[in-house]
Amino acid sequence: MPKKNDAASSSKRKPSSKAIVAEDNHETTETSAVTGRIEEVGKEGAKTEPAAAKKKAPAKKTAAAKKKAPAEKPAAAKEEVPAEKPAAAKEEVPAEKPAAAKEEVPAEKPAAAKEEIPAEKPAAAKKKAPAKKSAAAKEEAPAEKPAAAKEEAPAEKPVTVPEEAPVEGPADAAGTDVPQEAAPAEGHDTSPRRSVAFIGSECYPFVKTGGLGDVMYALPKALVKQNCDVKVILPRYRCIPWEYQQKMIYRGSFQMDLCADGKSFYVGIMEYVWDGVVYDFIDNEEFFGGGDPYTNLIDDIPKYCYFAKAALAALNYMDWIPDIIHCHDWQAALVPVYLRTQFVDTKLTTAKTVMTIHNLRFQGVYNIPTIRYWSGLPDYVFNMGALTVKYRDANMLKGGLTYANIITTVSPSYAGEIQSDYYGETLDAHLRYHSGKLRGIVNGIDYDIWDPDTDSRLYENYNIANVLERKKENKRRLQEELGLVQDEHKFVIGLISRLTNQKGLDLVTSILPQVLDGNTQVVVLGTGDRGYEDTFRYYEQAYKGYVCSNIMYDETRAHRIYAGADALLVPSRFEPCGLTQLIAMHYGTVPIVRETGGLKDTVEPYNRFFNTGNGFTFDRYEPGLLLDAINRAKTFYFENRWCWDEMVQRDMDKNLSWENSARQYKELYLELTR
Ligand code: ADP
């Protein structure tokens, strides 16, 4: 991470203090990954090894490499909240090639070049992986290392066992570090068991910035019910609330080589078990000790190179060999690449990989020398068929798409759209090339969190039977809390969104005065681009009592808006799936959406002849069409309330749970491991 990048420090391991203690007590858990091949080294992996490895990293080289990358990019790179759009990123490329870059002889397997076409893999290898293997592996794994890890845990600090999830949690906090088999499907599923490692950069409730966080939480849980054994691997960000941090159990640690010059980094594994899902947090203060999960590409590129490799190394270390490794978005996209290059000789190689695109806009693009340096990946992956784009940049997502066995995205429509120039974010040709392994599976919502009948954040709970009455009370209380004119007859439109260009907010801001007719109120909740934030603030001032702009991230307020609004606006320019319209429907709030991606797949437009449908839609990205859709909804609300109410109940009745989606993922896993 450039900012802390003095060579000395980066070549040193930077465990959190807790982990240091444990590690120091147990040399035996040190796993040396000198060449990036992390066999089950560890056991006698001497302490000396890391030291040696460290030395390897020529101090200045690193420093140089780091500095270089950042040096000129910053200007361009800065606006990327999480990551950029390749288009933008590419200009940043400083033509220079870091001195460091040149000597990074890939050290790797020569023959490996062939795997570039990842799709296939030794047919033989595949077969053996499956079900029993993982199950078996699980039990054995612990036997060796864990044994060590076990004793370490207590050494550090009294570990508290997760209270909410005691049942399947590590039975003994200090001891059985083995992720126990998740409870077998509760009568739900009799299909063969599969083990799945989810790798991604955020997960509710630990850290969430958007829909990815919801999916990383809800899908594993739903998969447990589909007879899957799921482990979720996440970065251990400092911003994870203490209530979770304190319940994590130390699982072990080791040193891992990362960069092209073999620099070695600490990898700690902290575990937390909840609801049948095992969460393993990759601990490294240098990479994850900052505030937010995403900062800027200059920091994020090294961070997620490290994370991708450390996630695999951690699986290896724990000897937990899953049938499937399911990677999410660009932050985990190097996982399939590492798996088919530097980990090809490890047990993990039997695993199949699924790469899910939650949002194609974010791809992790930077100049080749920087990514080559930090990832330590062999030269041959930097070709136009894999990581390289525009001949000078490396695109981490593209690498993942290339090497994954299957690509999924979060709705069938988006799966089609991203193969077109308009939605393809410059990867459309690549996706068309790989279209044979591209699928779309729509997201669901977690009914444990999103259920108006039990949601403790609501003013008043309701269900399909009493929604018409109780929703009014939620509306009135919402108006009261937000300082809006309190009148149950007003038509309240909610908008809960990141305030970015993707979300169609330029359409909204351009027609807002026409929407505000005295009978309509608009409640905005979101953060993002300063321009949108200010515009909504302005409208709040200009239309006091009728517009409320909550420029913040607030879960409770979100729940209350879903419950109190009559309609929810989602006019996105593109929308891979979209969760807000799903939540809205489940809360009896009628969605007004643009027909794109998952919005198109989940919201059936109202048909006044048959009185069917779930919401109001428009197709082309034009303000006039959005206004028209809003006006149709309003007219319907004010002039045909009986039918409106029917729609509200129809929406609440719609099955939006994760069950269907999880079943489709399970089928995909079975197909891959058959
Ligand atoms: P994206 O992932 O593109 O941001 P999604 O619709 O897939 O959009 O998911 C957005 C999720 O984030 C939803 O759960 C929504 O309720 C939540 N959310 C978005 N903005 C806020 C906010 N300001 N406060 C609370 N929750 C928010």
Side-chain angles (χ1 to χ4, degrees):
M1 323 207 64
K3 50 186 177 206
K4 315 168 182 170
N5 248 352
D6 58 300
S9 75
S10 52
S11 64
K12 246 181 249 162
R13 35 202 237 190
K14 298 224 168 177
S16 63
S17 54
K18 189 190 275 192
I20 293 175
V21 177
E23 187 197 3
D24 287 345
N25 289 342
H26 293 275
E27 303 85 274
T28 49
T29 63
E30 291 268 336
T31 296
S32 160
V34 181
T35 59
R37 293 182 203 144
I38 319 231
E39 304 276 21
E40 328 115 81
V41 195
K43 300 166 193 164
E44 50 279 293
K47 282 257 178 185
T48 51
E49 214 149 308
K54 262 179 247 176
K55 262 169 242 140
K56 255 190 275 179
K60 28 319 239 356
K61 188 214 250 87
T62 321
K66 272 174 234 171
K67 253 169 262 143
K68 213 163 308 175
E72 40 285 292
K73 316 243 136 125
K78 60 199 168 213
E79 63 281 29
E80 352 101 323
V81 190
E84 277 44 81
K85 175 160 224 109
K90 62 194 152 189
E91 294 92 91
E92 310 155 20
V93 191
E96 67 345 21
K97 135 173 239 120
K102 52 185 165 231
E103 60 279 42
E104 347 131 287
V105 193
E108 270 38 279
K109 23 189 54 286
K114 55 183 156 237
E115 284 108 77
E116 279 170 52
I117 302 87
E120 56 352 15
K121 96 163 296 151
K126 293 174 208 176
K127 317 243 165 74
K128 37 178 157 138
K132 31 328 229 2
K133 174 197 294 41
S134 29
K138 241 169 287 162
E139 280 117 32
E140 300 145 27
E144 348 158 7
K145 326 230 150 128
K150 239 177 269 180
E151 288 112 61
E152 296 164 13
E156 358 168 14
K157 116 185 280 182
V159 186
T160 326
V161 188
E163 280 154 21
E164 311 94 300
V167 196
E168 50 285 89
D172 49 324
T176 328
D177 42 1
V178 195
Q180 304 191 346
E181 287 247 332
E186 296 131 10
H188 272 243
D189 191 287
T190 51
S191 62
R193 194 161 178 81
R194 289 293 180 267
S195 52
V196 190
F198 264 57
I199 304 180
S201 59
E202 58 181 85
C203 176
Y204 176 90
F206 313 110
V207 55
K208 168 182 159 184
T209 66
L212 172 63
D214 288 317
V215 177
M216 289 286 291
Y217 163 74
L219 180 54
K221 250 178 68 180
L223 283 168
V224 166
K225 294 185 182 141
Q226 300 292 327
N227 202 15
C228 284
D229 191 5
V230 192
K231 203 184 246 303
V232 180
I233 304 190
L234 299 162
R236 185 195 183 187
Y237 302 109
R238 178 173 287 181
C239 61
I240 294 174
W242 176 242
E243 64 174 300
Y244 301 111
Q245 299 260 13
Q246 67 175 346
K247 292 174 186 165
M248 295 176 188
I249 294 163
Y250 174 76
R251 229 352 202 118
S253 63
F254 54 90
Q255 289 291 128
M256 176 187 79
D257 283 1
L258 177 67
C259 306
D261 54 10
K263 199 181 323 155
S264 177
F265 289 91
Y266 170 88
V267 179
I269 307 170
M270 302 297 290
E271 193 161 283
Y272 177 69
V273 185
W274 186 26
D275 261 358
V277 178
V278 177
Y279 297 89
D280 279 318
F281 294 85
I282 302 295
D283 185 27
N284 180 302
E285 215 168 275
E286 179 173 357
F287 288 109
F288 306 130
D292 297 328
Y294 314 119
T295 43
N296 54 68
L297 269 196
I298 298 162
D299 284 341
D300 289 352
I301 292 286
K303 185 193 296 181
Y304 293 112
C305 286
Y306 164 85
F307 174 61
K309 189 168 182 181
L312 286 177
L315 287 173
N316 236 348
Y317 173 85
M318 294 183 281
D319 206 9
W320 199 83
I321 311 302
D323 300 310
I324 301 288
I325 299 180
H326 194 152
C327 315
H328 299 265
D329 274 352
W330 77 266
Q331 295 91 344
L334 287 190
V335 170
V337 189
Y338 279 120
L339 188 67
R340 303 295 175 227
T341 56
Q342 298 185 347
F343 286 73
V344 79
D345 286 339
T346 67
K347 291 185 193 171
L348 282 174
T349 196
T350 55
K352 298 294 182 192
T353 50
V354 177
M355 179 79 235
T356 294
I357 304 168
H358 294 265
N359 191 334
L360 187 62
R361 175 154 288 185
F362 307 116
Q363 301 177 359
V365 181
Y366 218 86
N367 65 38
I368 291 175
T370 302
I371 292 189
R372 187 159 48 188
Y373 171 76
W374 276 103
S375 67
L377 283 165
D379 281 338
Y380 62 78
V381 305
F382 295 93
N383 66 68
M384 289 299 288
L387 269 86
T388 301
V389 287
K390 310 278 180 197
Y391 297 97
R392 59 185 182 181
D393 285 341
N395 182 321
M396 289 164 63
L397 181 65
K398 187 177 174 210
L401 300 176
T402 309
Y403 280 84
N405 293 101
I406 284 281
I407 303 169
T408 70
T409 187
V410 288
S411 67
S413 286
Y414 193 59
E417 287 170 355
I418 55 179
Q419 296 177 52
S420 70
D421 179 49
Y422 184 78
Y423 291 102
E425 306 284 350
T426 74
L427 285 185
D428 47 300
H430 191 68
L431 286 161
R432 283 196 298 277
Y433 181 78
H434 288 287
S435 59
K437 60 173 184 179
L438 173 61
R439 314 277 173 87
I441 301 177
V442 84
N443 287 336
I445 52 173
D446 190 308
Y447 284 2
D448 290 343
I449 299 174
W450 301 106
D451 179 0
D453 209 15
T454 55
D455 190 337
S456 58
R457 289 168 154 133
L458 302 194
Y459 305 108
E460 189 149 356
N461 290 113
Y462 58 91
N463 55 41
I464 194 164
N466 55 26
V467 54
L468 302 178
E469 211 34 58
R470 302 240 178 121
K471 210 167 174 0
K472 280 187 201 148
E473 179 58 11
N474 278 292
K475 183 201 268 193
R476 195 192 61 72
R477 299 282 298 277
L478 181 71
Q479 289 170 326
E480 183 183 25
E481 179 175 327
L482 302 184
L484 296 172
V485 171
Q486 289 177 52
D487 180 351
E488 69 171 60
H489 300 296
K490 301 280 185 238
F491 182 65
V492 177
I493 302 177
L495 193 157
I496 301 174
S497 175
R498 286 183 290 118
L499 302 182
T500 66
N501 175 269
Q502 172 197 335
K503 299 294 184 178
L505 301 170
D506 49 339
L507 299 188
V508 179
T509 52
S510 66
I511 59 158
L512 212 49
Q514 290 157 274
V515 172
L516 296 163
D517 52 8
N519 291 313
T520 307
Q521 295 176 332
V522 175
V523 177
V524 178
L525 173 64
T527 57
D529 297 351
R530 175 63 69 86
Y532 291 127
E533 292 184 353
D534 289 345
T535 307
F536 284 119
R537 284 191 184 104
Y538 160 78
Y539 277 123
E540 177 175 289
Q541 291 305 317
Y543 295 88
K544 274 204 180 307
Y546 287 87
V547 175
C548 179
S549 300
N550 304 273
I551 308 303
M552 61 177 78
Y553 189 94
D554 186 332
E555 287 280 349
T556 300
R557 190 147 293 180
H559 284 241
R560 291 177 176 176
I561 295 171
Y562 286 121
D566 295 297
L568 189 97
L569 217 49
V570 199
S572 306
R573 191 181 287 274
F574 70 92
E575 194 58 74
C577 177
L579 292 175
T580 56
Q581 84 282 6
L582 301 181
I583 301 169
M585 285 191 275
H586 197 54
Y587 277 58
T589 302
V590 173
I592 301 174
V593 307
R594 175 158 178 258
E595 291 168 16
T596 181
L599 299 172
K600 186 174 171 183
D601 292 342
T602 56
V603 179
E604 183 191 335
Y606 177 64
N607 180 321
R608 67 193 176 112
F609 299 107
F610 299 105
N611 192 29
T612 56
N614 309 105
F616 293 86
T617 68
F618 65 103
D619 51 10
R620 291 189 311 282
Y621 191 79
E622 290 172 15
L625 295 186
L626 170 61
L627 182 60
D628 176 62
I630 294 174
N631 284 338
R632 277 185 280 130
K634 271 205 276 197
T635 308
F636 192 49
Y637 176 83
F638 286 116
E639 296 182 359
N640 201 349
R641 185 66 61 86
W642 189 77
C643 285
W644 175 275
D645 290 345
E646 274 190 343
M647 187 187 281
V648 165
Q649 288 172 314
R650 213 162 36 239
D651 283 358
M652 287 190 76
D653 204 27
K654 199 171 156 83
N655 184 358
L656 300 167
S657 76
W658 268 104
E659 198 184 328
N660 283 341
S661 321
R663 193 173 298 124
Q664 291 177 60
Y665 278 109
K666 177 68 184 291
E667 279 162 15
L668 192 63
Y669 299 158
L670 290 174
E671 192 183 314
L672 271 173
T673 52
R674 215 159 259 151

